[in-house]
Every structure is written in structure tokens, then in C-alpha cells.
Amino acid sequence: MHWACLLLPQLALDGVLRRHPAPHEPLALVTGPMQRRVLHAVNPAAKALGLRAGMGWAAAQALCTGFVTVEHDPEATERLRRLLAAWAYGFSSQVSTDLPHAIVLEVGGSLKLFGPWPRFEARLREELRALGIRHRITVAPNPQAARVLANVGDGLALDEEGLVAGLGRISLDRAGLDPAVATAFSRMGLRRLQQVFALPRDGLARRFTKDLLPWLDTLRGLQDAPLRHYRPPDRFDARIELEQEVESNQALLFPLRRLTADLAAFLAGRDGGVQRFVLRLEHDRRPDSEVVVGLLTAEREAAVLFELARGRLEQARVPAPVRGLRLLARELPPFVPARRDLFDPRPQQAVPWLQLRERLRARLGDGAVHGLAVQADHRPERAWRRLDGDVAMAAKAPAAGRPRTPLPAASTTAVSYMDSCPHLRPGWLLPEPQPLPDNGLRLLAGPERIESGWWDDEEARRDYYLVETAQGQQAWAWCPAGAHGPWTLHGWFA
């Protein structure tokens, strides 16, 4: 087996910077009681000013001013680690968060899917950078050895043959030992793990706790240490507290982009999609506002989720200043990717139909977008019907293997005198036919006779023509069957 360790050395700080609008400005996390406030972590800009983790608040204030402080939230850090575990679950079914400050996953079984380890490692790093997470990645035959390697450096890898020798070169202060045990070994003149491996086991058992020998055996692969495997939850719940109250919808787009990106990473990890989620806008001294984002089909692309949520948010009215933004998704159905051709003929600027449909619904409202379906009726005004709501899914595309039936062809004629040319249908059919004055009309094609409807007392016997008006417009007009007037306009050609 091959285990990868993703060490997250600055996870608490990364969790703040990834949602901060100005991450490159000096910033520090503070913790501790009010009487003894200390800096928990600082970003590179704050470090350049002389601030250091562990520095007292009073000393930091005396050294410089103008840096931003954020309260350290251990619970938020742990939620972020669980989110990263959900993301890692998309690469391996064996993921664990038991080891401190790290996520470990078994990657040996995933190499055939994601390629050799250098390519796999590059993909992990790329996606972690996109999530705004600093990291180290190491590989070893067992998770504990990979975790110890991450203390030493980044990108290190050990196989079965070089495991003991590679671990033996690690100094004891970086070997993950209990501080009291490491200090005792140091007083004995020991500096590296290989010296500890060479000590008699009976002596180690007598002088140290009972956990030491099993831990050394686990490092060398002599025995297995059970780990709890992560399982992704059935819902997504994430929240960002804003630095100050916000009154504009536009100011909420930055945290919204981060939340939808996290939702996409969570969905990719569990190989699912989302069909409905809720944006909850938190206010002071009044109930939260909710913006519901519903989709006709499951989706999980970060850009699509953000675009749809932004459209709904821009349409919403914010009743009071917002101090926090929360995203909840409880309906997580399976995700079926859209089938695409190997050589996609669409231009780069084209938007797939499903994304365009959801974008229009978000911008214009659910009632403004609907589907169309054909009906078995030759009368043009009755050859189609409207599909509202979720039923519009049926009109998105024909199923595989089902013959495509274009909408215009639904109103084909029963009797036609145009055997030499195809039936023409206008792109714009009027809601109600209108009288068309016979002022310089020129016949271009026709007639095409339609006789239908005798069974429902709305019989239609018409001869349709393609005509051109005096202004050069091409129209679809009819007159009673066998007659040459009066003319009735039924549609326009583009």
C-alpha cells in the first residue's frame, strides 16, 4: 500500500485568508484570554513587520500598528479540515483525519485511475492551491511514516525497501515523539531514529510508556495501527462571517464565490451533485433572510453554481445589513455528467444548453423559462404545448436512440401541392392570426393545404403560402381552401 500525507501547517490561517478580501495585507490570528492575548498565527505580510506566532498582544501593538486581527476559531479550522477530507475522498476511499494537522489517504489503489504518482501529486497540489490551502505532500508505505516524513520536508517518498533506512535518518525532534520521550532520548545522547531502532526492546519497554514500542513498530511497518476512515456527510453546511456588516448584494459575491467553490469540492469528493441549496443571510436583531437556489438537474461545477447563486442573490432584496453568509445543501442527488462528443463542435464562446437554461432561470425567474413539446395536431396553433416547472426537463434534449422531432415539423400538412419543395415554417408564429391586407403581396411558394379538426368543431381548411409584402418582409399567410382571399397572417420568417 502507498499512503499520502497532506500536511496542513497553516490551516487556521489559510481558513481566514481564503475568505478575506485582502489576503496580502498584514493579518494575525489572536487567541487566549483577554488578560493574555497572544498571536496564534501571522501571514507573510505581518511577519515582514516583525510579528511572530506566540508574541503577546501588547508586544505586537508596541512593535507596529495597522495590521488586521481575527479571532482564532478552532471549530472553523476543524470544519475546513473535514471539507478537505471530503475533497480527498474523491481520490481514495480510505481517508483519515486521525493524525494531527494532516489528512492521510491511501493512493496505491488510485494510481491506475489518476496516473503515476508524479502526475497524481501534481493534481493534488493544483487543486489544493485552487482551494487556497498551503500544504506538504509525502508518500510512504504506511500513514504514520508518511506523517513523520512530512515533518522533515515536502515531496519526500519512501518505498518498502528504503523505509527503515529513510526513517532512521530523521532527527528525534522531528520524529513525532512525545516531547517528554524525545527529551529523555536526547539526555541519553541519542539524536536520530536509527539509534532508537537499535536499542533493546526490553529496555525500552521498562523505561518508557507502553505506547512507544507499538508506535516504533507501526513506523517500520511491523504492525498496523487502525485509523478511522472518513465518510462524507449527506449534507453540506458552510458559513462565512463577514468582517463588517454589508448592505450591498455585490459585496456578498466574494464570500459567495468561496462558498460555492467549497460546495463544488465537496460534491466532487462524494461524486454527487446538488439540485437545491439555500443561501442564508444573517442579520443582527432580526430573522435571517433566505435565498433559495433551485436547479432542474443536478450540477456540481463551481462556476455554474456561483453564476446561478449570483443571479438569485442579485434578484433578492436585502432587508437589513448582512453580518454572515451561510450555504446549506440538503438535497444531494447522484450526478450524471452531460454526454459530449469527443470532438466538440461548439465554439469556445458557446454555453451548454443546461447551463444557459439555469442561468436564464436565475436571472429572469422560474416562470420566464419553460419548455416546449409537440402535439399530434396538424393545425399550427395546436401543434405544440408549453411545459412549465420541472416538466421542462423533458424538452432539454431527446433521449439516446430516440428519433429527434423538430417542433416545426409537428404542423405538417394533410394535403400539399408543394411536392417539389420542403414545407416551410416561420420562426415566429403569432399568438392569434391577424388579417393581412392584399397590398402588393407577392406569392413565393404554395399552396400547402391543411385540413384538420373536424372532430372538435374547430375545423380548419386552409391553403398556406409563403408571401412577400411590399416592404420586403416574408410572411406565412393562409386563405380559405380553394379561394384566393381574404389573407390571414399566421407568422413571420426571419
Side-chain angles (χ1 to χ4, degrees), residues 412-467:
T412 56
T413 63
V415 180
S416 175
Y417 301 119
M418 296 174 58
D419 297 334
S420 60
C421 64
H423 304 316
L424 300 176
R425 292 293 180 267
W428 177 15
L429 194 68
L430 300 181
E432 295 291 338
Q434 301 177 2
L436 180 65
D438 187 4
N439 297 329
L441 291 180
R442 187 164 67 96
L443 301 183
L444 301 181
E448 174 193 348
R449 179 165 295 180
I450 293 180
E451 296 185 24
S452 183
W454 54 267
W455 57 88
D456 59 5
D457 297 328
E458 293 187 15
E459 183 177 4
R461 299 183 69 251
R462 309 166 186 167
D463 285 341
Y464 278 86
Y465 294 84
L466 172 62
V467 301

Side-chain angles (χ1 to χ4, degrees), residues 36 42 52 87-88 109 199 202 206 254 258 268 322-323 331 345 403 444 448 450:
R36 295 192 59 185
V42 297
R52 297 291 184 271
W87 161 80
L199 293 177
D202 294 342
R206 288 195 304 268
F254 178 80
R258 177 54 65 188
V322 180
R323 64 176 180 84
E331 300 177 15
L444 301 181
E448 174 193 348
I450 293 180

Side-chain angles (χ1 to χ4, degrees), residues 297-301 335-346 351-355 396-404:
T297 57
E299 185 56 73
R300 72 179 182 200
E301 291 292 333
F335 175 73
V336 180
R339 187 185 64 182
R340 296 181 179 177
D341 295 336
L342 178 60
F343 302 101
D344 197 341
R346 294 182 294 109
V351 179
W353 156 244
L354 295 180
Q355 297 183 17
K396 66 182 180 181
R402 186 185 304 169
R404 180 182 295 272

